[in-house]
Amino acid sequence: MQNRYYDGGGMEEEKPRLLLMGLRRSGRSSIANVVFNKLPPSDTLYLESTRDINKERMHSFMDFQVWDIPAGVSYLDAPDQDIDGIFSSVGALIWVIDAQDEYFTAIQRLNDTILYLCRRYHSPQHPDNPFDGMPHIEVFVHKVDGLSDDFRADVFRDIQQRILDDVADHGFDAAPIHFYSTSIYDATIFEAFSKVIQRLVPQLPALENLLNGLCSKTGVEKAYLFDVCTKIYIASDTTPGDITQYETCSDLIDVVVDISEIYGWERPDPEPGSFEEKMLAQETGNSDAEAMITMERRGAKCLYLREVNKYLALVCIMAVDDPAEKRAMVEYNMRVFARGVNQVFEVRPRLMEDAEL
Amino acid sequence: PPAKRMKPRKVLLMGKSGAGKSSMRTIVFSNYVARDVRRLGATIDVEHSNIRFLGNLFLNLWDCGGQDGFMDNYLTPAAAGGQRESVFANVAVLIFVFDIESREFVADVANFAAVVGALADCSGTPGTRASRPSPQPKASDKSPASPATTAADTTSSSTVGKEAPKVFVLVHKMDLVPPAQRERLFAERAQHIRARAGPFAARTAFYATSIWDQSLYRAWTAIIHTLIPNADAIELLLQRLAAAIGARELILYERTTCLVVTSATRGAEQANPFGDRCERLSSILKTHKQSLARHTRSQPGSAHFRDFELRTSRFAWFVTRLTENTNLAVVLPPGEQLFNFARAGVAAARARFVELDVGGGGREVKGEG
Ligand SMILES: Nc1nc2c(ncn2[C@@H]2O[C@H](COP(=O)(O)OP(=O)(O)OP(=O)(O)O)[C@@H](O)[C@H]2O)c(=O)[nH]1
Ligand SMILES: Nc1nc2c(ncn2[C@@H]2O[C@H](COP(=O)(O)OP(=O)(O)O)[C@@H](O)[C@H]2O)c(=O)[nH]1
Ligand SMILES: [Mg+2]
């Protein structure tokens, strides 16, 4: 499995954009580097303060850009066309608040930004979707690892309340704002990013359907479709899940990627006539990586991973007691599923071609 | 017949308070996760742990609290009210941990010199005790062990005829040093420390470590390796098995700690660009074990997988249990037929490894009992 797709090349403006905003030292660059560059969380201590807007383009199952916008950029005072330059074709605005610090200033700035956007996008003539086209505001209550469980919940509620109250006071109750509590030291940041990205995936309902179908057919308890590089999941079946399930599945990706890295190196051709050469002449390996782990404890779950394409992998938790027995059935269904996913992602270009005819 | 119980091997873990000794111990042997160790309190006096490693190899690990008062007490002879003799006698391995962040490096080194001095007094030095002529007995069942060597190995607490202790120095918390400076700083420190290692200077092994990456496993794999009496015989058997089933690589590791006992590599795999893959695997597998434990809400010690298969276009891999305390990781060329063949081969070889498990895993090697 490949595990890097970073590409610093030129920006294509029409790609959906994720803006990372927040006060100085709030943790924006840390988040971007941990999620998209695999930087170990403890190494974020060495990150330097961001001076200019830092744009990175991600190539994956869909292309998008991540812009790290330093607190010093005073976009709200800029002329309108410049502001449009920042906010047009924005998929999501992620606002990072340092929950370990005094957060009133951060909330103040965020509220200014939200109100500005609400005024700009609000169209009362469309009562069913009055904020059509407005980027989703994703508030990350961040660095919660440093807080006790109780205090964490209090801080989260307090921040959420202050923001929603202010927005409601101005009559924008229905504005698209979502809250997450996050830390780069655990899975919460990946879970939050997954939810943010899922709002930008037009194929989400189709993918969820496929995953639900897979679960009901094969006794899968929980299934995720992962972007392998970032360990963001772009869809999951719709049964309620918990974060330990996500962690278990994303940890399996780590193991598979790590072992694949160690043993997937390009070897010289085997010696002619050797045992290995004869074996390799007869058959080839899996074109898509496949992994399965069964536990020793009776009744424990079994983990399964299958590469779906260059970027995506299906990972699931199953309650299979004797996988050997069900193996053929599982494999068959997983293959069908992989084909289904690839069809979902091909539909759009084909429709567009049709339209051009 | 009851298993021949080997005498536990005594391992001293020393260094200044806060250096990271207990963190390492709990991560390697007690299934803590790196981020959990922040909750550990200071170690008061000595914390003993008896750790059952392979089969009947028992480690008796002394985690010696490093606060100044305790250190003085360890170094003071019994006659003057201290514990010098009891702490430093019969030591198989001394692990001394230096905190890279310490502002008192000079004092730390002086402490190290005093500890090494006490060790030489009570457990002997390579010079004086290398006098034992016979090499390590090969536990291979083919070569009959001479009675002399067997006797030497089982001699009781008397220091005569036993091997001198080995000294490992770990320069720890390297993650706190910016990556570009790590190598130079480590070399510098190692040089200063070696100069004060007295009779052990030439044979002290140095490792740069951090609980946050696989460097921890590199050091501990080396430490454990010196304690396994029949590592050579196990390796030989692995080599034969690898050839028989057409494996590219076999890695035998201990199930609880995931430390690699030994491995065998064949053909082109010897050119694998990841020279550190054994400690990487320890770290990967251990991390994963903990993740599984979290998900199944079981004790990390009991979260073992029965089986782990991975097939890609370039290689196939499986892990299976080999003996009571070991798992075997098998790396193969891709292909279903070879995969099934190798599985059968490993299953058939299991009995041979059970016999070799240190101490015989309950069974004596035939011909000696
Ligand atoms: N405890 C904790 N610290 C974090 C977390 N995320 C980031 N940090 C720390 O917060 C500090 C600032 O992080 P940066 O990512 O540089 O913040 P930034 O928002 O990019 O800051 P500027 O670029 O200076 O505006 C660093 O020391 C990070 O290690 C977190 O989840 N928990
Ligand atoms: N950054 C970093 N901190 C570490 C490392 N190992 C241990 N620590 C921290 O050092 C502190 C003291 O560790 P402890 O094991 O109690 O030290 P001991 O007194 O030698 O047993 C703890 O807060 C650990 O979290 C490491 O490799 N890197
Ligand atoms: Mg920054």
Side-chain angles (χ1 to χ4, degrees):
Chain A
M1 289 170 105
Q2 52 120 40
N3 64 358
R4 292 195 71 79
Y5 55 75
Y6 222 76
D7 176 357
M11 295 298 157
E12 285 151 59
E13 296 304 325
E14 72 278 13
K15 303 285 183 253
R17 218 178 288 160
L18 301 179
L19 303 187
L20 275 168
M21 304 179 89
L23 297 189
R24 280 195 66 243
R25 312 302 291 159
S26 56
R28 299 182 315 275
S29 311
S30 304
I31 292 174
N33 278 290
V34 168
V35 176
F36 297 107
N37 282 343
K38 294 183 180 300
L39 188 74
S42 49
D43 286 6
T44 57
L45 293 169
Y46 308 119
L47 285 179
E48 289 189 3
S49 199
T50 315
R51 296 238 159 79
D52 299 313
I53 296 187
N54 190 15
K55 308 175 183 177
E56 321 241 37
R57 188 172 65 166
M58 316 305 307
H59 256 323
S60 186
F61 67 100
M62 72 180 209
D63 291 350
F64 56 94
Q65 308 175 33
V66 179
W67 288 21
D68 179 356
I69 302 187
V73 175
S74 56
Y75 45 93
L76 291 188
D77 312 330
D80 271 1
Q81 64 271 30
D82 288 9
I83 301 182
D84 281 343
I86 292 183
F87 290 110
S88 71
S89 85
V90 163
L93 191 165
I94 299 170
W95 191 284
V96 183
I97 297 179
D98 182 347
Q100 290 187 23
D101 200 6
E102 176 276 311
Y103 50 73
F104 301 112
T105 324
I107 289 180
Q108 192 58 54
R109 299 263 327 222
L110 171 56
N111 282 343
D112 291 348
T113 308
I114 295 177
L115 291 177
Y116 172 85
L117 288 172
C118 285
R119 288 195 187 103
R120 210 173 162 73
Y121 284 92
H122 190 234
S123 46
Q125 59 272 40
H126 298 112
D128 47 324
N129 193 5
F131 292 97
D132 190 32
M134 174 166 160
H136 285 260
I137 311 286
E138 314 278 7
V139 182
F140 285 12
V141 178
H142 190 58
K143 305 197 195 178
V144 293
D145 54 283
L147 311 177
S148 71
D149 287 353
D150 287 350
F151 192 48
R152 184 182 306 182
D154 288 348
V155 167
F156 184 80
R157 229 175 294 123
D158 188 42
I159 291 178
Q160 184 170 18
Q161 199 65 53
R162 282 168 192 277
I163 292 167
L164 292 180
D165 283 355
D166 197 40
V167 175
D169 285 349
H170 290 81
F172 298 126
D173 302 74
I177 307 175
H178 317 275
F179 296 85
Y180 310 84
S181 81
T182 59
S183 161
I184 51 169
Y185 286 99
D186 57 37
T188 52
I189 192 67
F190 292 92
E191 172 103 1
F193 245 103
S194 299
K195 293 281 175 353
V196 169
I197 297 281
Q198 283 172 26
R199 278 191 245 287
L200 305 178
V201 178
Q203 298 92 338
L204 183 65
L207 294 173
E208 284 180 343
N209 267 342
L210 280 172
L211 287 159
N212 283 340
L214 181 77
C215 288
S216 65
K217 261 185 264 160
T218 47
V220 164
E221 180 181 296
K222 188 78 199 165
Y224 297 92
L225 189 59
F226 270 95
D227 177 49
V228 171
C229 266
T230 54
K231 293 192 289 165
I232 286 170
Y233 65 98
I234 67 162
S236 72
D237 69 288
T238 50
T239 57
D242 64 44
I243 196 149
T244 63
Q245 290 175 318
Y246 166 79
E247 278 180 89
T248 309
C249 290
S250 97
D251 288 349
L252 178 61
I253 293 186
D254 279 338
V255 176
V256 170
V257 166
D258 288 348
I259 294 175
S260 299
E261 187 184 8
I262 295 176
Y263 291 110
W265 60 290
E266 199 138 355
R267 295 174 180 75
D269 287 335
E271 261 171 60
S274 68
F275 180 67
E276 185 160 335
E277 197 233 17
K278 280 184 207 141
M279 292 307 294
L280 288 178
Q282 286 172 29
E283 46 178 353
T284 53
N286 278 42
S287 56
D288 300 322
E290 190 190 7
M292 192 168 211
I293 289 185
T294 45
M295 301 290 294
E296 208 162 67
R297 228 162 43 109
R298 279 187 63 80
K301 304 292 185 291
C302 150
L303 300 175
Y304 177 90
L305 174 149
R306 182 184 191 94
E307 242 178 353
V308 169
N309 61 33
K310 201 170 148 199
Y311 304 112
L312 300 177
L314 167 73
V315 188
C316 28
I317 300 178
M318 292 187 269
V320 178
D321 260 339
D322 184 9
E325 208 173 84
K326 281 198 178 173
R327 167 132 209 167
M329 196 266 281
V330 167
E331 264 176 34
Y332 172 78
N333 279 294
M334 300 297 172
R335 256 200 311 276
V336 171
F337 170 82
R339 217 181 305 134
V341 171
N342 285 318
Q343 275 164 7
V344 165
F345 279 102
E346 274 163 19
V347 168
R348 272 163 63 86
R350 216 179 286 144
L351 282 180
M352 275 154 58
E353 278 163 30
D354 289 350
E356 275 162 60
L357 283 178
Chain B
K4 182 176 68 184
R5 204 161 195 260
M6 297 212 353
K7 229 172 90 53
R9 311 269 281 165
K10 178 169 166 185
V11 178
L12 290 187
L13 187 51
M14 295 193 138
K16 196 168 73 165
S17 178
K21 304 179 292 296
S22 308
S23 305
M24 273 193 260
R25 168 173 63 89
T26 47
I27 289 170
V28 175
F29 296 104
S30 312
N31 286 302
Y32 271 55
V33 196
R35 63 171 181 269
D36 287 348
V37 302
R38 278 173 254 187
R39 294 203 287 266
L40 292 172
T43 305
I44 303 299
D45 204 11
V46 180
E47 270 177 30
H48 297 270
S49 14
N50 278 298
I51 297 148
R52 181 171 170 172
F53 202 69
L54 288 171
N56 283 340
L57 173 62
F58 284 86
L59 299 187
N60 189 350
L61 187 64
W62 295 40
D63 180 351
C64 306
Q67 292 172 31
D68 288 347
F70 298 132
M71 278 318 277
D72 291 345
N73 183 254
Y74 307 144
L75 292 167
T76 308
Q83 305 185 57
R84 185 180 181 95
E85 292 80 3
S86 66
V87 170
F88 289 102
N90 297 309
V91 173
V93 167
L94 165 71
I95 304 165
F96 201 96
V97 184
F98 283 87
D99 180 348
I100 192 76
E101 274 216 306
S102 165
R103 301 223 177 79
E104 300 147 0
F105 182 61
V106 176
D108 296 345
V109 178
N111 230 328
F112 170 71
V115 163
V116 166
L119 184 69
D121 286 354
C122 306
S123 284
T125 63
T128 56
R129 286 219 253 116
S131 55
R132 203 186 102 204
S134 57
Q136 276 279 51
K138 291 268 191 285
S140 155
D141 46 353
K142 293 280 154 25
S143 59
S146 82
T149 48
T150 317
D153 242 12
T154 47
T155 326
S156 61
S157 56
S158 142
T159 55
V160 190
K162 284 205 337 195
E163 262 200 281
K166 302 213 166 54
V167 178
F168 288 84
V169 168
L170 310 188
V171 182
H172 192 56
K173 304 195 191 175
M174 283 308 270
D175 59 286
L176 296 175
V177 179
Q181 297 169 28
R182 283 177 194 166
E183 203 172 324
R184 187 187 49 81
L185 194 60
F186 171 66
E188 231 172 72
R189 294 280 161 99
Q191 194 192 351
H192 281 290
I193 298 165
R194 195 187 290 282
R196 302 291 300 277
F200 296 96
R203 295 178 53 189
T204 298
F206 289 84
Y207 289 89
T209 53
S210 161
I211 55 171
W212 295 104
D213 59 40
Q214 72 254 19
S215 59
L216 183 68
Y217 290 94
R218 191 165 109 82
W220 282 89
T221 302
I223 292 166
I224 295 302
H225 206 83
T226 66
L227 293 168
I228 299 171
N230 58 349
D232 294 344
I234 300 176
E235 195 174 322
L236 194 68
L237 198 52
L238 271 192
Q239 288 286 0
R240 287 200 210 126
L241 177 61
I245 62 175
R248 287 174 174 164
E249 184 154 88
L250 296 179
I251 296 179
L252 184 72
Y253 67 90
E254 199 277 332
R255 273 157 50 94
T256 311
T257 57
C258 295
L259 291 174
V260 172
V261 176
T262 172
S263 62
T265 313
R266 289 175 61 243
E269 203 60 41
Q270 282 160 341
N272 187 313
F274 295 94
D276 60 351
R277 58 191 181 283
C278 282
E279 58 261 25
R280 272 178 187 246
L281 278 177
S282 295
S283 170
I284 294 168
L285 294 166
K286 186 73 177 274
T287 310
H288 188 247
K289 207 163 110 96
Q290 277 148 356
S291 139
L292 287 177
R294 259 201 317 277
H295 178 66
T296 58
R297 297 199 178 76
S298 52
Q299 287 300 311
S302 64
H304 296 293
F305 43 70
R306 182 170 58 196
D307 205 274
F308 174 8
E309 294 181 0
L310 170 59
R311 298 152 213 259
T312 76
S313 57
R314 295 209 166 146
F315 71 96
W317 143 292
F318 67 89
V319 178
T320 185
R321 182 156 181 188
L322 198 64
T323 69
E324 190 181 346
N325 299 284
T326 57
N327 277 358
L328 184 67
V330 180
V331 185
L332 298 161
E336 206 53 31
Q337 223 179 316
L338 192 53
F339 194 87
N340 295 334
F341 177 68
R343 275 210 174 270
V346 169
R350 195 163 275 136
R352 298 290 314 260
F353 283 94
V354 171
E355 286 173 8
L356 268 188
D357 217 353
V358 181
R363 273 195 266 160
E364 296 289 332
V365 177
K366 282 196 197 79
E368 281 185 16

